[in-house]
Amino acid sequence: MVRVHANGLDWVPGGVSGGDRAADAALAGAETVGGLVSVALAALGAGVRERGGPLPAGGPAAVARAVARFDPLPVDGVGAEAAIAELSAVLAAGSADPVDPWCTAHLHCPPLAVAAAADLVASVLNPSMDSWDQAPAASALERSLTDSVARLCYPAAESPDALVTSGGTESNLTAMLLARETLGPDVVPVCGANAHHSVARAAWLLGLPRPVVVRTHLDKVDPRALADALAELDRPAVVTATAGTTNSGAIDPLTEIADITHAAGAWLHVDAAYGGALLFSTRRHQLAGIDRADSIALDLHKLGWQPIAAGVLSCRDTALTARLSTNADYLNADDDTEAGLPDLLGRSLRTSRRPDAFKIAVTARALGTAGIGELVDRCCDTATHVARAVASHPALRLWGEPTLSTILLRPRVADLSDDGDALVAAVRRGLLDEGAAVLGRATMPDDDGTPRLWLKLTLLHPHATPGDYLPLLDLVADKAERCR
């Protein structure tokens, strides 16, 4: 155990044996962490003030110069307070900050304070979720949370289950693995052209064929095209539908897709990493049919306001997740399991992993599912109002009405340019370089079917108002004129 009080490296909660001595050590360590947190927060505030906007100006070169002032692996240390102050300040000054409403390019949320505080507790206690003797309370709490999430996804199922993951990519990979283990090694992945890139990567990692890609309309899978694709296969299939596409937030017609996949004997996985949070909200009806899927991916570090990572994979039956079971004698020996110690190793593709369920549980207990749902509704309502402002803006065009909280827009001057997509890209990069705004990009078919580049706003700040975004629309229009 490190005991160097001078530089704050004395926090090891269980580092002294014996009840009173252990408690004293824990309390002393907590005080040390508290002091360092105060230093870190002060440095964070200084860095935010230095940045002065949603991201640093000057682009990658300026950030690299700022970071290069500090050796991250020196021979001689500078002490805990100096290190946390220096690097917290440089990180904050050089960050894209999702707390700023104009940081709106990605599914990158501002974490709730309660979730960030809970994440600190998890870091201090440092449970490892690969065996019960490393995480007694954390594992019990995780199981309670995953049971509740599974029941939320599958309210009528007899024995649904859920696993904590690092996010949609791991969830999609795990779901495809479970489909392969259930249907056999010759299973064929099938997905829409709107599917997340991780679906194809999961197929590659598992040694499966490249996915059969089904055409989409308005960023949603065409059910007839899906039925035709499955009819042409002579092998079992795993179909991935999307509830909340990355480009537009569109939701595939889940009920129709469930009918088609079940008739074909295919596995249905719904990637609801973005849209799954509607399960908490008054908009739950938009996910009608999702409970007919074999597996569902949810990400609570999107519309759930958790620090990354906070993913969940739900399955309709525990028999499916049981296929992940594996054995390592030092973690889940058979006699330990028979004696009643919970087996955690089969609850993830990972071995060592953080207790990410803790921050989710703290947040849910603080807000309740109704409170989380209210935040989801706020973001979606704000997107609806901002989309109307785009549609009425004389210098901008709206791609379509938002399904969730994503808005696609395009400066009208781009349609007058010989290379309108290049102009749109220049607008985005120019605003990034100035540190003025973080906008996303998406190539989507226009009304005439021609693929064109659009700017993307993904509104995940539950306390931002439509008025916060109206000056951003004017800024985009003005920047487009200057880029002509």
Side-chain angles (χ1 to χ4, degrees):
M1 180 178 65
V2 178
R3 303 290 292 179
V4 187
H5 291 271
N7 63 3
L9 300 177
D10 64 340
W11 174 230
V12 182
V16 180
S17 61
D20 291 342
R21 286 183 297 159
D24 289 345
L27 291 172
E31 291 176 1
T32 301
V33 172
L36 291 176
V37 167
S38 296
V39 171
L41 292 178
L44 189 152
V48 169
R49 288 188 292 273
E50 178 185 342
R51 173 170 22 93
L55 82 165
V63 173
R65 286 193 299 272
V67 171
R69 293 183 291 130
F70 303 97
D71 181 357
L73 199 65
V75 174
D76 297 313
V78 299
E81 290 194 7
I84 197 73
E86 291 171 349
L87 294 185
S88 294
V90 77
L91 180 64
S95 285
D97 190 352
V99 172
D100 191 307
W102 288 15
C103 184
T104 184
H106 302 287
L107 290 163
H108 178 201
C109 73
L112 293 170
V114 67
D119 212 25
L120 173 62
V121 173
S123 293
V124 168
L125 293 172
N126 203 31
S128 183
M129 302 299 294
D130 47 324
S131 65
W132 183 88
D133 59 1
Q134 298 177 87
S139 61
L141 186 58
E142 177 180 279
R143 196 56 192 253
S144 179
L145 177 74
T146 54
D147 285 349
S148 297
V149 173
R151 184 61 63 195
L152 180 71
C153 293
Y154 296 100
E158 291 185 7
S159 56
D161 198 6
L163 309 170
V164 174
T165 72
S166 58
T169 295
E170 184 184 341
S171 292
N172 292 342
L173 172 64
T174 306
M176 195 173 292
L177 171 63
L178 294 176
R180 188 191 71 181
E181 295 303 293
T182 301
L183 300 178
D186 60 344
V187 68
V188 178
V190 178
C191 64
N194 60 352
H196 192 262
H197 70 86
S198 63
V199 175
R201 176 169 285 192
W204 169 66
L205 286 169
L206 294 170
L208 299 177
R210 289 186 62 83
V212 174
V213 177
V214 175
R215 72 172 178 266
T216 58
H217 178 64
L218 297 178
D219 208 27
K220 294 181 283 189
V221 163
D222 181 336
R224 183 182 297 275
L226 175 61
D228 291 344
L230 292 177
E232 293 176 1
L233 296 177
D234 58 0
R235 293 185 289 171
V238 49
V239 175
T240 297
T242 306
T245 62
T246 303
N247 278 348
S248 74
I251 297 174
D252 284 337
L254 301 179
T255 297
E256 292 177 81
I257 289 174
D259 289 342
I260 293 165
T261 54
H262 289 181
W267 178 291
L268 175 58
H269 172 63
V270 177
D271 178 1
Y274 180 12
L278 293 183
L279 290 171
F280 300 111
S281 83
T282 60
R283 292 170 164 82
R284 184 189 177 106
H285 62 276
Q286 292 181 241
L287 297 178
I290 196 170
D291 58 340
R292 297 175 61 192
D294 296 284
S295 54
I296 303 168
L298 307 175
D299 269 12
L300 293 172
H301 55 241
K302 294 182 172 67
L303 279 177
W305 301 283
Q306 298 298 297
I308 297 168
V312 179
L313 174 68
S314 294
C315 289
R316 59 177 169 77
D317 197 277
T318 55
L320 301 176
T321 52
R323 295 182 181 277
L324 292 178
S325 296
T326 189
N327 180 261
D329 189 66
Y330 74 104
L331 293 174
N332 62 343
D334 290 341
D335 58 310
D336 279 347
T337 303
E338 291 167 3
L341 293 182
D343 178 1
L344 306 186
L345 196 56
R347 302 293 295 169
S348 176
L349 295 179
R350 295 169 287 160
T351 303
S352 299
R353 59 186 178 92
R354 288 171 52 83
D356 289 318
F358 179 71
K359 63 196 174 196
I360 301 171
V362 169
T363 302
R365 186 156 176 80
L367 275 67
T369 56
I372 297 172
E374 181 182 344
L375 299 184
V376 173
D377 285 334
R378 284 186 197 173
C379 290
C380 295
D381 289 342
T382 298
T384 297
H385 289 294
V386 175
R388 290 172 183 164
V390 172
S392 63
H393 198 289
L396 303 173
R397 286 202 295 130
L398 179 68
W399 181 79
E401 292 296 321
T403 302
L404 295 172
S405 64
T406 299
I407 300 163
L408 297 180
L409 58 94
R410 183 175 166 95
R412 291 187 179 276
V413 295
D415 299 333
L416 306 176
S417 170
D418 292 337
D419 193 347
D421 285 357
L423 187 148
V424 173
V427 169
R428 175 179 176 272
R429 286 193 294 269
L431 294 175
L432 284 174
D433 192 63
E434 295 166 7
V438 190
L439 306 182
R441 55 183 288 162
T443 299
M444 299 290 284
D446 210 335
D447 292 339
D448 62 359
T450 302
R452 290 192 171 92
L453 185 63
W454 300 76
L455 296 172
K456 179 170 65 171
L457 309 181
T458 307
L459 310 188
L460 297 186
H461 198 310
H463 300 299
T465 67
D468 291 320
Y469 296 101
L470 299 184
L472 176 59
L473 302 184
D474 292 334
L475 178 64
V476 169
D478 178 69
K479 184 66 175 177
E481 284 289 344
R482 288 185 281 127
C483 287
R484 292 181 68 175

